[in-house]
Amino acid sequence: MKQAELFDDLLEAYAGCGASMSNQVLYKELARRGSVEPEDLERTVPIGRSAEQHSPVKRRIRWHQQTLRALGLLERDEGAGRGHWRLTPMGRRKLTPALPGKVLVGFSTDLGVALWAAAGDVFSKLDEPIVLCLSSLPYPLARPRAYGNPTVETYVDWACKLLEPVAKHLVPGGTIALNISNEIFVKGSPARSLYVEHLVIALCQRLGLHLWERMVWENPSKPPGPLQWASLTRQQLNAKYEPIYCFTNDPMLLRSDNRRVLETHTKRQLALMKAGGEQRTTSYGDGAHRLRPGSYGRVTPGRIPGNVLTIAHRCADKEAARREAIAQGLPTHGAAMPLKLAQFLIEFLTEPGDLVVDPCGGWMTTGKAAEVTGRPWLCTELMGEYVLGAANRFRQAQGFACFGQVQGLIEA
């Protein structure tokens, strides 16, 4: 469990309790949430010069308590007895949703704007052509994150309603790219939910879209899981990827271009091109693949990437934003997309000057990636604290301006 993720889980556990909580209760709550494995809590090893038996997992949790205490987010409840902790007023800050029908500017740059608003209140009235909608939609988790999420049963209708006004303003050949979880299971079973398949069909049938690509985002830093079915019952393998589905309204006019994201040739390929290509004649797969003299000899500026994207979830830009949010007493966002992934998708799917949007902006990773690649952007986010936290990522952007009315309304 990474430090930043365990910070979030500890804070959510104390917030859910609503009062002080003993360490023993905290351990059980973290296990219930899937933050730690139950058997790891009881596993002990010799530690220190005395070689006394202690649980490394429990020690790590207590270390995080001390770190949160140093940040002013957690305090001891002396009146409740030894080992009881509670959130400070700063740590108890909850997320503040935008009022229905209310649209406020959180911050802006010369290229884009972040709005504190429900997506429907913005995109239903938008009159700008959209080239790309890139979004990591909230996952239908059994235990919702702080910002909430739709259930599996309501997910398809919720997503179609959210994306309908976006699809209406999509330019011919534009793309809606969605990062969606495929690790949602039938309750009490290792069988995977088919909500993704139902969503894909619904977006095509209801919104007139076409599925033109399924990308695999391989995440080397993804924590082990699903815990129940991989770590406990051992029936599944650890999941290491998430899908990215790309939809368009006209597949024959796609705006994507892989020449914008070419990779560097390998040394072997460079040597092959320099030598004029293959010097032999042969075939593989019963003639399905043939090599002739000169094959692969044409000099090209780079190689075309595959549709399996290996990008770690850990992101320096995101971690810096997390530290800033904690320092400001703002809640952190536990599910932000890595900037490198968003940047790759934006460069592949759009040209500089094309409008990029995200109706579930979160910490505005889509906006930040659009900003650094020279694309105009528009992001909406329902929770005001996330808008304020995201502003830290744009302070060096040209024309940056942050609007105090969002801060004032949240504090009020």
Side-chain angles (χ1 to χ4, degrees), residues 77-318:
D77 185 357
E78 303 294 350
R82 180 179 173 81
H84 281 71
W85 295 77
R86 63 188 176 192
L87 294 178
T88 63
M90 181 186 296
R92 285 195 298 270
R93 294 196 66 165
K94 296 184 181 296
L95 296 176
T96 309
L99 295 174
K102 193 78 170 179
V103 178
L104 293 176
V105 177
F107 62 90
S108 65
T109 68
D110 285 350
L111 282 175
V113 59
L115 300 175
W116 180 25
D121 291 332
V122 174
F123 289 99
S124 62
K125 302 172 184 176
L126 186 70
D127 193 22
E128 293 291 334
I130 298 170
V131 178
L132 171 64
C133 170
L134 171 60
S135 190
S136 178
L137 299 184
Y139 299 166
L141 302 173
R143 299 189 185 97
R145 291 185 179 271
Y147 50 78
N149 57 251
T151 64
V152 171
E153 293 77 17
T154 63
Y155 200 87
V156 170
D157 289 335
W158 171 84
C160 287
K161 182 179 179 181
L162 174 79
L163 296 170
E164 184 176 13
V166 175
K168 287 181 178 178
H169 292 93
L170 201 64
V171 301
T175 293
I176 295 177
L178 305 176
N179 169 216
I180 305 172
S181 174
N182 63 344
E183 294 169 51
I184 307 300
F185 295 86
V186 177
K187 187 174 181 179
S189 165
R192 294 180 185 273
S193 167
L194 296 178
Y195 90 99
V196 174
E197 287 75 12
H198 290 306
L199 176 61
V200 170
I201 293 172
L203 289 175
C204 294
Q205 292 183 344
R206 298 187 197 181
L207 304 188
L209 299 175
H210 304 264
L211 175 66
W212 69 269
E213 179 61 287
R214 295 182 184 92
M215 298 183 196
V216 170
W217 167 29
E218 181 191 10
N219 178 6
S221 60
K222 192 175 180 65
L227 290 176
Q228 177 67 28
W229 311 118
S231 299
L232 298 181
T233 69
R234 302 285 183 166
Q235 293 167 291
Q236 291 201 358
L237 304 176
N238 277 329
K240 302 301 293 183
Y241 80 93
E242 294 181 9
I244 298 172
Y245 290 86
C246 295
F247 303 86
T248 185
N249 52 13
D250 192 336
M252 302 307 296
L253 296 177
L254 280 174
R255 300 291 191 96
S256 55
D257 192 330
N258 61 39
R259 289 170 293 186
R260 293 192 289 261
V261 289
L262 292 177
E263 298 175 344
T264 303
H265 281 303
T266 63
K267 290 182 179 180
R268 183 179 182 279
Q269 181 61 34
L270 290 171
L272 192 62
M273 289 189 296
K274 186 176 180 179
E278 293 284 354
Q279 305 300 313
R280 56 197 171 115
T281 300
T282 187
S283 64
Y284 302 94
D286 293 330
H289 181 60
R290 297 179 182 274
L291 287 179
R292 299 181 177 85
S295 295
Y296 304 111
R298 185 169 63 89
V299 177
T300 60
R303 61 176 180 174
I304 300 171
N307 61 359
V308 177
L309 310 176
T310 304
I311 298 173
H313 192 266
R314 196 171 183 85
C315 169
D317 182 83
K318 184 175 65 176

